Amino acid sequence: MKVLVINAGSSSIKFELYAMPQEQVLASGLVERIGESTSRLVWRDARDGRHTLERPIQDHAAGLELVLSLLCSGTDAPMESLDEIGAVGHRVVHGGEAFSQTVGVTAEVEAAIQAHAVLAPLHNPPNLLGIRVARQVLPDVPQVAVFDTAFHQTLPPHAYLYALPAELYREHRVRRYGFHGISHRFVAGRAAALLGRPLEQLRLISCHLGNGASICAIEAGRSVDTSMGMTPLEGLVMGTRCGDLDPAIPLYLQRQLGMDAAEVDRLLNKRSGMLGLSGRSNDLRELEQAAESGDADAAVAMQVYCYRIRKYIGAYTAALGSVDALVFTAGVGENSDVVRAAVLEGLAPMGYALDLDANRGLRGREADISAVDSRARVLVIPTDEELLIARDTYALAGHRAS
Ligand code: ADP
């Protein structure tokens, strides 16, 4: 059966079509700039041929219809008809405490996704729109929701509670939720496969370093702590987000600098992180090169970035007691030997010793880059969130379709 995976953003739809259970990608692509005159659809077919179609795409429904018509047209089309799609899997960012696993979409599930939009105002509404549009276009096909927060619902209270008045949690659900759960779960599974050991016996630290970044302590396949909080702003230094901060700073910005809440929000989410520190870019590639060519601000930004990751590795090593493997994933983690080496420099006594030759130049493929005498394995594992969504969707809806 075919599974369509959808990640709907405010003006975009990312999609991937899988043949399951073979896990073969038949097509993947992106509709972007929906609602603008310059919208377009870019996609790849199963033979990695790339295509672009530029034309105004009025709304998400028109975007999805265009994708579906392409998937069924032409001699090389991956499907003859839409009837071959057995289920649609949706990435949904925030499921709060309501969802600790993947679920089939019902009216109650939709209402809960809507209710959690206050916690993820930029993500949940478009995710929900994606679900509604898919149901409209494929009315008889089961829809499945896979949450970014679900994996972290195993956090114990001492890891998810903030030291605030207890009623803020009890009455308003102010707590740590964590994100990137789909990615952390995926790489944890791959780490177990690479190590040839059951996940249930492993203690892992997963570093998802992309534009957004988070780190996760995983014990026996369960998330026990993670760096993102009630929102994705907490934790590591990110492309444009500040990560951990003295909570008095936003108040200072408001009182002393006269900023309003919306301005502070924008500053912390869009103008901080690597972009803010370097005054130059949120792109790690560019900053690595700039630092190398003598840009002092870029060099300091790289140091702050790597130091924050190091501190979290130390904290989560303590949280877990001992660690079997540390995993680097996502754009920076998979590709930047410079960041991996800087983060782990001098950490051999803690159990993380890098094989510098194995690390050097390694990009975008699975590898063990630890020195032979490293107590913990250090792994690079490309993440594949879409594949995990396809697997979950197939596991939940596959029997209904067959
Ligand atoms: P997103 O969170 O948007 O999915 P990605 O996981 O694609 O982000 O990661 C994007 C980041 O990865 C960017 O900062 C980019 O500069 C960085 N990156 C990609 N390739 C490299 C590379 N070869 N060296 C350093 N950083 C890289």
Side-chain angles (χ1 to χ4, degrees), residues 15-64:
F15 67 92
E16 210 135 329
L17 182 71
Y18 284 88
M20 296 299 282
Q22 303 87 329
E23 303 192 344
Q24 185 194 354
V25 179
L26 301 174
S28 64
L30 172 71
V31 187
E32 55 185 350
R33 301 189 211 121
I34 293 172
E36 295 176 36
S37 58
T38 57
S39 38
R40 62 178 190 169
L41 166 58
V42 284
W43 82 101
R44 270 194 223 181
D45 57 36
R47 281 180 284 168
D48 217 21
R50 285 155 204 256
H51 314 268
T52 304
L53 185 69
E54 294 187 359
R55 69 156 75 150
I57 298 166
Q58 193 186 340
D59 53 26
H60 283 67
L64 188 59

mmCIF file of all heavy atoms in Angstrom, residues 15-64:
data_model
loop_
_atom_site.group_PDB
_atom_site.id
_atom_site.type_symbol
_atom_site.label_atom_id
_atom_site.label_comp_id
_atom_site.label_asym_id
_atom_site.label_seq_id
_atom_site.Cartn_x
_atom_site.Cartn_y
_atom_site.Cartn_z
ATOM 1 N N PHE A 15 5.734 16.900 1.194
ATOM 2 C CA PHE A 15 5.091 15.586 1.082
ATOM 3 C C PHE A 15 6.107 14.525 0.680
ATOM 4 O O PHE A 15 7.171 14.832 0.128
ATOM 5 C CB PHE A 15 3.949 15.625 0.059
ATOM 6 C CG PHE A 15 4.429 15.835 -1.354
ATOM 7 C CD1 PHE A 15 4.708 14.743 -2.176
ATOM 8 C CD2 PHE A 15 4.640 17.111 -1.848
ATOM 9 C CE1 PHE A 15 5.169 14.931 -3.474
ATOM 10 C CE2 PHE A 15 5.112 17.300 -3.146
ATOM 11 C CZ PHE A 15 5.374 16.210 -3.959
ATOM 12 N N GLU A 16 5.739 13.293 0.983
ATOM 13 C CA GLU A 16 6.561 12.153 0.589
ATOM 14 C C GLU A 16 5.599 10.989 0.379
ATOM 15 O O GLU A 16 4.704 10.776 1.195
ATOM 16 C CB GLU A 16 7.557 11.833 1.710
ATOM 17 C CG GLU A 16 8.832 11.230 1.218
ATOM 18 C CD GLU A 16 10.074 11.862 1.890
ATOM 19 O OE1 GLU A 16 10.051 13.047 2.250
ATOM 20 O OE2 GLU A 16 11.054 11.160 2.034
ATOM 21 N N LEU A 17 5.760 10.290 -0.720
ATOM 22 C CA LEU A 17 4.902 9.130 -0.990
ATOM 23 C C LEU A 17 5.745 7.871 -0.845
ATOM 24 O O LEU A 17 6.787 7.738 -1.489
ATOM 25 C CB LEU A 17 4.325 9.220 -2.407
ATOM 26 C CG LEU A 17 3.372 8.081 -2.785
ATOM 27 C CD1 LEU A 17 2.046 8.212 -2.020
ATOM 28 C CD2 LEU A 17 3.106 8.069 -4.289
ATOM 29 N N TYR A 18 5.290 6.967 0.028
ATOM 30 C CA TYR A 18 6.026 5.725 0.291
ATOM 31 C C TYR A 18 5.248 4.506 -0.184
ATOM 32 O O TYR A 18 4.012 4.479 -0.059
ATOM 33 C CB TYR A 18 6.216 5.532 1.802
ATOM 34 C CG TYR A 18 7.272 6.403 2.410
ATOM 35 C CD1 TYR A 18 6.957 7.674 2.873
ATOM 36 C CD2 TYR A 18 8.577 5.942 2.559
ATOM 37 C CE1 TYR A 18 7.929 8.480 3.451
ATOM 38 C CE2 TYR A 18 9.544 6.742 3.141
ATOM 39 C CZ TYR A 18 9.222 8.006 3.585
ATOM 40 O OH TYR A 18 10.172 8.788 4.158
ATOM 41 N N ALA A 19 5.978 3.514 -0.669
ATOM 42 C CA ALA A 19 5.404 2.180 -0.798
ATOM 43 C C ALA A 19 5.724 1.480 0.510
ATOM 44 O O ALA A 19 6.889 1.391 0.898
ATOM 45 C CB ALA A 19 6.045 1.447 -1.971
ATOM 46 N N MET A 20 4.684 1.013 1.198
ATOM 47 C CA MET A 20 4.888 0.341 2.483
ATOM 48 C C MET A 20 4.368 -1.089 2.371
ATOM 49 O O MET A 20 3.395 -1.331 1.646
ATOM 50 C CB MET A 20 4.138 1.086 3.595
ATOM 51 C CG MET A 20 4.637 2.492 3.840
ATOM 52 S SD MET A 20 6.372 2.590 4.353
ATOM 53 C CE MET A 20 6.285 2.133 6.084
ATOM 54 N N PRO A 21 4.951 -2.037 3.051
ATOM 55 C CA PRO A 21 5.995 -1.893 4.063
ATOM 56 C C PRO A 21 7.424 -1.880 3.507
ATOM 57 O O PRO A 21 8.370 -1.946 4.285
ATOM 58 C CB PRO A 21 5.776 -3.138 4.927
ATOM 59 C CG PRO A 21 5.288 -4.173 3.964
ATOM 60 C CD PRO A 21 4.485 -3.433 2.933
ATOM 61 N N GLN A 22 7.577 -1.748 2.196
ATOM 62 C CA GLN A 22 8.945 -1.775 1.627
ATOM 63 C C GLN A 22 9.752 -0.546 2.012
ATOM 64 O O GLN A 22 10.966 -0.519 1.857
ATOM 65 C CB GLN A 22 8.885 -1.841 0.094
ATOM 66 C CG GLN A 22 8.112 -3.026 -0.465
ATOM 67 C CD GLN A 22 6.619 -2.738 -0.585
ATOM 68 O OE1 GLN A 22 6.045 -1.973 0.195
ATOM 69 N NE2 GLN A 22 5.984 -3.349 -1.548
ATOM 70 N N GLU A 23 9.081 0.510 2.459
ATOM 71 C CA GLU A 23 9.738 1.762 2.857
ATOM 72 C C GLU A 23 10.463 2.399 1.683
ATOM 73 O O GLU A 23 11.514 3.015 1.842
ATOM 74 C CB GLU A 23 10.688 1.547 4.041
ATOM 75 C CG GLU A 23 9.987 0.949 5.239
ATOM 76 C CD GLU A 23 10.792 0.975 6.524
ATOM 77 O OE1 GLU A 23 12.021 1.179 6.459
ATOM 78 O OE2 GLU A 23 10.179 0.808 7.599
ATOM 79 N N GLN A 24 9.866 2.259 0.511
ATOM 80 C CA GLN A 24 10.488 2.841 -0.677
ATOM 81 C C GLN A 24 9.864 4.212 -0.952
ATOM 82 O O GLN A 24 8.633 4.340 -0.986
ATOM 83 C CB GLN A 24 10.241 1.907 -1.878
ATOM 84 C CG GLN A 24 10.932 2.364 -3.125
ATOM 85 C CD GLN A 24 10.406 1.635 -4.362
ATOM 86 O OE1 GLN A 24 9.594 0.713 -4.263
ATOM 87 N NE2 GLN A 24 10.852 2.074 -5.519
ATOM 88 N N VAL A 25 10.716 5.232 -1.124
ATOM 89 C CA VAL A 25 10.201 6.571 -1.436
ATOM 90 C C VAL A 25 9.894 6.624 -2.925
ATOM 91 O O VAL A 25 10.774 6.452 -3.762
ATOM 92 C CB VAL A 25 11.236 7.663 -1.084
ATOM 93 C CG1 VAL A 25 10.692 9.040 -1.442
ATOM 94 C CG2 VAL A 25 11.602 7.611 0.384
ATOM 95 N N LEU A 26 8.631 6.876 -3.267
ATOM 96 C CA LEU A 26 8.218 6.915 -4.670
ATOM 97 C C LEU A 26 8.266 8.336 -5.226
ATOM 98 O O LEU A 26 8.454 8.539 -6.416
ATOM 99 C CB LEU A 26 6.803 6.354 -4.810
ATOM 100 C CG LEU A 26 6.625 4.907 -4.327
ATOM 101 C CD1 LEU A 26 5.167 4.505 -4.367
ATOM 102 C CD2 LEU A 26 7.464 3.966 -5.181
ATOM 103 N N ALA A 27 8.059 9.292 -4.357
ATOM 104 C CA ALA A 27 8.126 10.704 -4.768
ATOM 105 C C ALA A 27 8.196 11.553 -3.508
ATOM 106 O O ALA A 27 7.729 11.147 -2.447
ATOM 107 C CB ALA A 27 6.884 11.086 -5.570
ATOM 108 N N SER A 28 8.804 12.722 -3.631
ATOM 109 C CA SER A 28 8.818 13.641 -2.493
ATOM 110 C C SER A 28 8.916 15.061 -3.022
ATOM 111 O O SER A 28 9.385 15.274 -4.144
ATOM 112 C CB SER A 28 10.016 13.350 -1.584
ATOM 113 O OG SER A 28 11.216 13.591 -2.282
ATOM 114 N N GLY A 29 8.450 15.997 -2.256
ATOM 115 C CA GLY A 29 8.535 17.367 -2.757
ATOM 116 C C GLY A 29 7.929 18.386 -1.816
ATOM 117 O O GLY A 29 7.613 18.084 -0.654
ATOM 118 N N LEU A 30 7.786 19.567 -2.349
ATOM 119 C CA LEU A 30 7.376 20.714 -1.537
ATOM 120 C C LEU A 30 6.555 21.675 -2.390
ATOM 121 O O LEU A 30 6.964 22.050 -3.490
ATOM 122 C CB LEU A 30 8.643 21.420 -1.043
ATOM 123 C CG LEU A 30 8.493 22.757 -0.338
ATOM 124 C CD1 LEU A 30 7.877 22.566 1.050
ATOM 125 C CD2 LEU A 30 9.855 23.437 -0.195
ATOM 126 N N VAL A 31 5.379 22.020 -1.870
ATOM 127 C CA VAL A 31 4.628 23.129 -2.452
ATOM 128 C C VAL A 31 4.967 24.331 -1.592
ATOM 129 O O VAL A 31 4.833 24.266 -0.371
ATOM 130 C CB VAL A 31 3.093 22.900 -2.368
ATOM 131 C CG1 VAL A 31 2.348 23.980 -3.133
ATOM 132 C CG2 VAL A 31 2.722 21.524 -2.851
ATOM 133 N N GLU A 32 5.430 25.399 -2.206
ATOM 134 C CA GLU A 32 5.800 26.539 -1.364
ATOM 135 C C GLU A 32 5.211 27.848 -1.873
ATOM 136 O O GLU A 32 4.758 27.932 -2.992
ATOM 137 C CB GLU A 32 7.320 26.635 -1.199
ATOM 138 C CG GLU A 32 8.086 26.701 -2.483
ATOM 139 C CD GLU A 32 9.600 26.667 -2.253
ATOM 140 O OE1 GLU A 32 10.062 26.784 -1.119
ATOM 141 O OE2 GLU A 32 10.325 26.533 -3.246
ATOM 142 N N ARG A 33 5.224 28.831 -0.981
ATOM 143 C CA ARG A 33 4.668 30.165 -1.251
ATOM 144 C C ARG A 33 3.193 30.079 -1.649
ATOM 145 O O ARG A 33 2.757 30.753 -2.579
ATOM 146 C CB ARG A 33 5.478 30.893 -2.305
ATOM 147 C CG ARG A 33 6.922 31.058 -1.894
ATOM 148 C CD ARG A 33 7.645 31.982 -2.857
ATOM 149 N NE ARG A 33 9.037 31.623 -2.965
ATOM 150 C CZ ARG A 33 9.662 31.274 -4.092
ATOM 151 N NH1 ARG A 33 9.018 31.268 -5.236
ATOM 152 N NH2 ARG A 33 10.920 30.949 -4.075
ATOM 153 N N ILE A 34 2.471 29.207 -0.966
ATOM 154 C CA ILE A 34 1.034 29.083 -1.225
ATOM 155 C C ILE A 34 0.360 30.425 -0.946
ATOM 156 O O ILE A 34 0.656 31.075 0.058
ATOM 157 C CB ILE A 34 0.423 27.982 -0.319
ATOM 158 C CG1 ILE A 34 0.972 26.615 -0.721
ATOM 159 C CG2 ILE A 34 -1.107 27.993 -0.362
ATOM 160 C CD1 ILE A 34 0.588 25.474 0.216
ATOM 161 N N GLY A 35 -0.525 30.826 -1.856
ATOM 162 C CA GLY A 35 -1.247 32.090 -1.672
ATOM 163 C C GLY A 35 -0.552 33.269 -2.317
ATOM 164 O O GLY A 35 -1.099 34.361 -2.388
ATOM 165 N N GLU A 36 0.692 33.049 -2.787
ATOM 166 C CA GLU A 36 1.404 34.140 -3.470
ATOM 167 C C GLU A 36 1.405 33.869 -4.979
ATOM 168 O O GLU A 36 1.154 32.748 -5.412
ATOM 169 C CB GLU A 36 2.859 34.209 -2.979
ATOM 170 C CG GLU A 36 2.989 34.575 -1.511
ATOM 171 C CD GLU A 36 4.434 34.534 -1.047
ATOM 172 O OE1 GLU A 36 5.330 34.901 -1.834
ATOM 173 O OE2 GLU A 36 4.668 34.116 0.092
ATOM 174 N N SER A 37 1.730 34.895 -5.740
ATOM 175 C CA SER A 37 1.724 34.701 -7.197
ATOM 176 C C SER A 37 2.928 33.865 -7.643
ATOM 177 O O SER A 37 2.946 33.315 -8.729
ATOM 178 C CB SER A 37 1.740 36.050 -7.899
ATOM 179 O OG SER A 37 2.874 36.762 -7.472
ATOM 180 N N THR A 38 3.951 33.784 -6.757
ATOM 181 C CA THR A 38 5.178 33.075 -7.140
ATOM 182 C C THR A 38 5.203 31.642 -6.598
ATOM 183 O O THR A 38 6.274 31.053 -6.450
ATOM 184 C CB THR A 38 6.402 33.817 -6.590
ATOM 185 O OG1 THR A 38 6.248 33.930 -5.161
ATOM 186 C CG2 THR A 38 6.558 35.187 -7.188
ATOM 187 N N SER A 39 4.034 31.092 -6.262
ATOM 188 C CA SER A 39 4.056 29.751 -5.670
ATOM 189 C C SER A 39 4.537 28.716 -6.679
ATOM 190 O O SER A 39 4.475 28.914 -7.896
ATOM 191 C CB SER A 39 2.689 29.364 -5.095
ATOM 192 O OG SER A 39 1.665 29.823 -5.916
ATOM 193 N N ARG A 40 5.041 27.598 -6.149
ATOM 194 C CA ARG A 40 5.556 26.564 -7.035
ATOM 195 C C ARG A 40 5.586 25.212 -6.329
ATOM 196 O O ARG A 40 5.511 25.129 -5.095
ATOM 197 C CB ARG A 40 6.946 26.920 -7.528
ATOM 198 C CG ARG A 40 7.943 27.019 -6.409
ATOM 199 C CD ARG A 40 9.316 27.321 -6.940
ATOM 200 N NE ARG A 40 10.306 27.186 -5.899
ATOM 201 C CZ ARG A 40 11.604 27.181 -6.095
ATOM 202 N NH1 ARG A 40 12.091 27.321 -7.308
ATOM 203 N NH2 ARG A 40 12.437 27.046 -5.097
ATOM 204 N N LEU A 41 5.708 24.207 -7.159
ATOM 205 C CA LEU A 41 5.815 22.843 -6.652
ATOM 206 C C LEU A 41 7.137 22.272 -7.149
ATOM 207 O O LEU A 41 7.411 22.296 -8.354
ATOM 208 C CB LEU A 41 4.639 22.023 -7.196
ATOM 209 C CG LEU A 41 4.677 20.502 -7.099
ATOM 210 C CD1 LEU A 41 4.838 20.030 -5.673
ATOM 211 C CD2 LEU A 41 3.403 19.914 -7.684
ATOM 212 N N VAL A 42 7.976 21.834 -6.227
ATOM 213 C CA VAL A 42 9.209 21.166 -6.634
ATOM 214 C C VAL A 42 9.149 19.735 -6.116
ATOM 215 O O VAL A 42 8.698 19.506 -5.003
ATOM 216 C CB VAL A 42 10.484 21.864 -6.076
ATOM 217 C CG1 VAL A 42 10.800 23.130 -6.820
ATOM 218 C CG2 VAL A 42 10.357 22.143 -4.594
ATOM 219 N N TRP A 43 9.523 18.771 -6.939
ATOM 220 C CA TRP A 43 9.464 17.386 -6.467
ATOM 221 C C TRP A 43 10.497 16.516 -7.149
ATOM 222 O O TRP A 43 11.072 16.879 -8.167
ATOM 223 C CB TRP A 43 8.051 16.828 -6.626
ATOM 224 C CG TRP A 43 7.688 16.306 -7.988
ATOM 225 C CD1 TRP A 43 7.665 15.001 -8.367
ATOM 226 C CD2 TRP A 43 7.277 17.062 -9.125
ATOM 227 N NE1 TRP A 43 7.268 14.902 -9.672
ATOM 228 C CE2 TRP A 43 7.020 16.147 -10.163
ATOM 229 C CE3 TRP A 43 7.097 18.423 -9.388
ATOM 230 C CZ2 TRP A 43 6.604 16.537 -11.437
ATOM 231 C CZ3 TRP A 43 6.681 18.828 -10.642
ATOM 232 C CH2 TRP A 43 6.437 17.891 -11.644
ATOM 233 N N ARG A 44 10.709 15.379 -6.499
ATOM 234 C CA ARG A 44 11.656 14.377 -6.996
ATOM 235 C C ARG A 44 10.910 13.091 -7.223
ATOM 236 O O ARG A 44 10.098 12.690 -6.393
ATOM 237 C CB ARG A 44 12.668 14.061 -5.893
ATOM 238 C CG ARG A 44 13.869 14.907 -5.920
ATOM 239 C CD ARG A 44 14.864 14.244 -5.017
ATOM 240 N NE ARG A 44 15.515 15.246 -4.194
ATOM 241 C CZ ARG A 44 16.444 14.946 -3.337
ATOM 242 N NH1 ARG A 44 16.789 13.708 -3.114
ATOM 243 N NH2 ARG A 44 17.026 15.883 -2.635
ATOM 244 N N ASP A 45 11.208 12.417 -8.315
ATOM 245 C CA ASP A 45 10.576 11.123 -8.533
ATOM 246 C C ASP A 45 11.465 10.005 -7.972
ATOM 247 O O ASP A 45 12.527 10.271 -7.397
ATOM 248 C CB ASP A 45 10.245 10.922 -10.025
ATOM 249 C CG ASP A 45 11.497 11.043 -10.890
ATOM 250 O OD1 ASP A 45 12.571 10.604 -10.441
ATOM 251 O OD2 ASP A 45 11.390 11.593 -12.006
ATOM 252 N N ALA A 46 11.021 8.775 -8.151
ATOM 253 C CA ALA A 46 11.724 7.642 -7.530
ATOM 254 C C ALA A 46 13.135 7.482 -8.081
ATOM 255 O O ALA A 46 13.999 6.882 -7.440
ATOM 256 C CB ALA A 46 10.929 6.355 -7.733
ATOM 257 N N ARG A 47 13.377 8.006 -9.301
ATOM 258 C CA ARG A 47 14.727 7.882 -9.871
ATOM 259 C C ARG A 47 15.569 9.130 -9.633
ATOM 260 O O ARG A 47 16.543 9.380 -10.316
ATOM 261 C CB ARG A 47 14.623 7.573 -11.357
ATOM 262 C CG ARG A 47 14.310 6.091 -11.564
ATOM 263 C CD ARG A 47 14.209 5.736 -13.001
ATOM 264 N NE ARG A 47 12.941 6.198 -13.541
ATOM 265 C CZ ARG A 47 12.650 6.232 -14.826
ATOM 266 N NH1 ARG A 47 13.535 5.882 -15.707
ATOM 267 N NH2 ARG A 47 11.467 6.639 -15.235
ATOM 268 N N ASP A 48 15.086 9.958 -8.672
ATOM 269 C CA ASP A 48 15.795 11.161 -8.259
ATOM 270 C C ASP A 48 15.768 12.264 -9.323
ATOM 271 O O ASP A 48 16.544 13.212 -9.246
ATOM 272 C CB ASP A 48 17.249 10.831 -7.864
ATOM 273 C CG ASP A 48 17.679 11.683 -6.669
ATOM 274 O OD1 ASP A 48 16.778 12.177 -5.962
ATOM 275 O OD2 ASP A 48 18.884 11.878 -6.476
ATOM 276 N N GLY A 49 14.885 12.113 -10.332
ATOM 277 C CA GLY A 49 14.715 13.201 -11.296
ATOM 278 C C GLY A 49 14.018 14.367 -10.619
ATOM 279 O O GLY A 49 13.073 14.156 -9.852
ATOM 280 N N ARG A 50 14.498 15.578 -10.844
ATOM 281 C CA ARG A 50 13.929 16.747 -10.186
ATOM 282 C C ARG A 50 13.046 17.533 -11.135
ATOM 283 O O ARG A 50 13.379 17.682 -12.307
ATOM 284 C CB ARG A 50 15.050 17.664 -9.684
ATOM 285 C CG ARG A 50 15.712 17.096 -8.458
ATOM 286 C CD ARG A 50 17.127 17.609 -8.309
ATOM 287 N NE ARG A 50 17.887 16.657 -7.525
ATOM 288 C CZ ARG A 50 18.217 16.829 -6.250
ATOM 289 N NH1 ARG A 50 17.886 17.930 -5.634
ATOM 290 N NH2 ARG A 50 18.886 15.910 -5.591
ATOM 291 N N HIS A 51 11.934 18.017 -10.629
ATOM 292 C CA HIS A 51 10.979 18.758 -11.448
ATOM 293 C C HIS A 51 10.514 20.003 -10.696
ATOM 294 O O HIS A 51 10.445 20.001 -9.479
ATOM 295 C CB HIS A 51 9.737 17.911 -11.741
ATOM 296 C CG HIS A 51 10.060 16.514 -12.164
ATOM 297 N ND1 HIS A 51 10.211 16.154 -13.477
ATOM 298 C CD2 HIS A 51 10.299 15.392 -11.427
ATOM 299 C CE1 HIS A 51 10.505 14.857 -13.537
ATOM 300 N NE2 HIS A 51 10.570 14.383 -12.309
ATOM 301 N N THR A 52 10.187 21.022 -11.455
ATOM 302 C CA THR A 52 9.618 22.244 -10.860
ATOM 303 C C THR A 52 8.430 22.687 -11.695
ATOM 304 O O THR A 52 8.486 22.657 -12.927
ATOM 305 C CB THR A 52 10.659 23.387 -10.861
ATOM 306 O OG1 THR A 52 11.827 22.940 -10.184
ATOM 307 C CG2 THR A 52 10.126 24.623 -10.150
ATOM 308 N N LEU A 53 7.379 23.076 -11.003
ATOM 309 C CA LEU A 53 6.197 23.596 -11.685
ATOM 310 C C LEU A 53 5.864 24.925 -11.016
ATOM 311 O O LEU A 53 5.556 24.953 -9.822
ATOM 312 C CB LEU A 53 5.049 22.606 -11.501
ATOM 313 C CG LEU A 53 3.751 22.905 -12.224
ATOM 314 C CD1 LEU A 53 3.948 22.734 -13.726
ATOM 315 C CD2 LEU A 53 2.674 21.945 -11.737
ATOM 316 N N GLU A 54 5.993 26.011 -11.772
ATOM 317 C CA GLU A 54 5.716 27.326 -11.179
ATOM 318 C C GLU A 54 4.365 27.796 -11.650
ATOM 319 O O GLU A 54 4.122 27.891 -12.850
ATOM 320 C CB GLU A 54 6.807 28.311 -11.581
ATOM 321 C CG GLU A 54 8.138 27.924 -10.983
ATOM 322 C CD GLU A 54 9.222 28.957 -11.209
ATOM 323 O OE1 GLU A 54 8.948 29.969 -11.846
ATOM 324 O OE2 GLU A 54 10.342 28.706 -10.734
ATOM 325 N N ARG A 55 3.501 28.072 -10.717
ATOM 326 C CA ARG A 55 2.190 28.613 -11.061
ATOM 327 C C ARG A 55 1.514 29.065 -9.763
ATOM 328 O O ARG A 55 1.829 28.536 -8.689
ATOM 329 C CB ARG A 55 1.324 27.580 -11.763
ATOM 330 C CG ARG A 55 0.876 26.426 -10.876
ATOM 331 C CD ARG A 55 -0.375 25.792 -11.412
ATOM 332 N NE ARG A 55 -0.089 24.975 -12.568
ATOM 333 C CZ ARG A 55 -0.791 23.893 -12.906
ATOM 334 N NH1 ARG A 55 -1.831 23.537 -12.185
ATOM 335 N NH2 ARG A 55 -0.481 23.181 -13.968
ATOM 336 N N PRO A 56 0.612 30.049 -9.841
ATOM 337 C CA PRO A 56 -0.053 30.478 -8.610
ATOM 338 C C PRO A 56 -0.862 29.333 -7.996
ATOM 339 O O PRO A 56 -1.576 28.639 -8.718
ATOM 340 C CB PRO A 56 -0.976 31.610 -9.080
ATOM 341 C CG PRO A 56 -0.430 32.044 -10.394
ATOM 342 C CD PRO A 56 0.195 30.829 -11.013
ATOM 343 N N ILE A 57 -0.665 29.100 -6.705
ATOM 344 C CA ILE A 57 -1.428 28.069 -5.994
ATOM 345 C C ILE A 57 -2.155 28.802 -4.861
ATOM 346 O O ILE A 57 -1.523 29.307 -3.932
ATOM 347 C CB ILE A 57 -0.495 26.965 -5.447
ATOM 348 C CG1 ILE A 57 0.232 26.272 -6.621
ATOM 349 C CG2 ILE A 57 -1.270 25.955 -4.617
ATOM 350 C CD1 ILE A 57 1.415 25.414 -6.222
ATOM 351 N N GLN A 58 -3.467 28.833 -5.021
ATOM 352 C CA GLN A 58 -4.282 29.739 -4.220
ATOM 353 C C GLN A 58 -4.312 29.383 -2.729
ATOM 354 O O GLN A 58 -4.205 30.237 -1.864
ATOM 355 C CB GLN A 58 -5.684 29.642 -4.799
ATOM 356 C CG GLN A 58 -6.642 30.691 -4.353
ATOM 357 C CD GLN A 58 -8.031 30.342 -4.934
ATOM 358 O OE1 GLN A 58 -8.144 29.591 -5.909
ATOM 359 N NE2 GLN A 58 -9.048 30.883 -4.309
ATOM 360 N N ASP A 59 -4.472 28.092 -2.441
ATOM 361 C CA ASP A 59 -4.576 27.694 -1.029
ATOM 362 C C ASP A 59 -4.043 26.261 -0.865
ATOM 363 O O ASP A 59 -3.622 25.624 -1.830
ATOM 364 C CB ASP A 59 -6.014 27.817 -0.526
ATOM 365 C CG ASP A 59 -6.994 27.082 -1.416
ATOM 366 O OD1 ASP A 59 -6.579 26.118 -2.077
ATOM 367 O OD2 ASP A 59 -8.175 27.488 -1.455
ATOM 368 N N HIS A 60 -4.071 25.776 0.388
ATOM 369 C CA HIS A 60 -3.524 24.440 0.662
ATOM 370 C C HIS A 60 -4.275 23.348 -0.105
ATOM 371 O O HIS A 60 -3.666 22.379 -0.554
ATOM 372 C CB HIS A 60 -3.561 24.149 2.169
ATOM 373 C CG HIS A 60 -2.474 24.847 2.939
ATOM 374 N ND1 HIS A 60 -2.422 26.211 3.087
ATOM 375 C CD2 HIS A 60 -1.373 24.356 3.585
ATOM 376 C CE1 HIS A 60 -1.343 26.530 3.794
ATOM 377 N NE2 HIS A 60 -0.697 25.432 4.117
ATOM 378 N N ALA A 61 -5.595 23.511 -0.251
ATOM 379 C CA ALA A 61 -6.382 22.493 -0.961
ATOM 380 C C ALA A 61 -5.915 22.410 -2.414
ATOM 381 O O ALA A 61 -5.691 21.311 -2.946
ATOM 382 C CB ALA A 61 -7.875 22.829 -0.879
ATOM 383 N N ALA A 62 -5.724 23.567 -3.035
ATOM 384 C CA ALA A 62 -5.254 23.569 -4.431
ATOM 385 C C ALA A 62 -3.864 22.955 -4.510
ATOM 386 O O ALA A 62 -3.546 22.218 -5.455
ATOM 387 C CB ALA A 62 -5.246 25.006 -4.958
ATOM 388 N N GLY A 63 -3.023 23.221 -3.503
ATOM 389 C CA GLY A 63 -1.664 22.670 -3.480
ATOM 390 C C GLY A 63 -1.692 21.155 -3.407
ATOM 391 O O GLY A 63 -0.997 20.466 -4.161
ATOM 392 N N LEU A 64 -2.518 20.619 -2.503
ATOM 393 C CA LEU A 64 -2.569 19.165 -2.353
ATOM 394 C C LEU A 64 -3.181 18.511 -3.591
ATOM 395 O O LEU A 64 -2.730 17.446 -4.030
ATOM 396 C CB LEU A 64 -3.362 18.792 -1.089
ATOM 397 C CG LEU A 64 -3.312 17.309 -0.735
ATOM 398 C CD1 LEU A 64 -1.878 16.822 -0.514
ATOM 399 C CD2 LEU A 64 -4.145 17.013 0.516
#
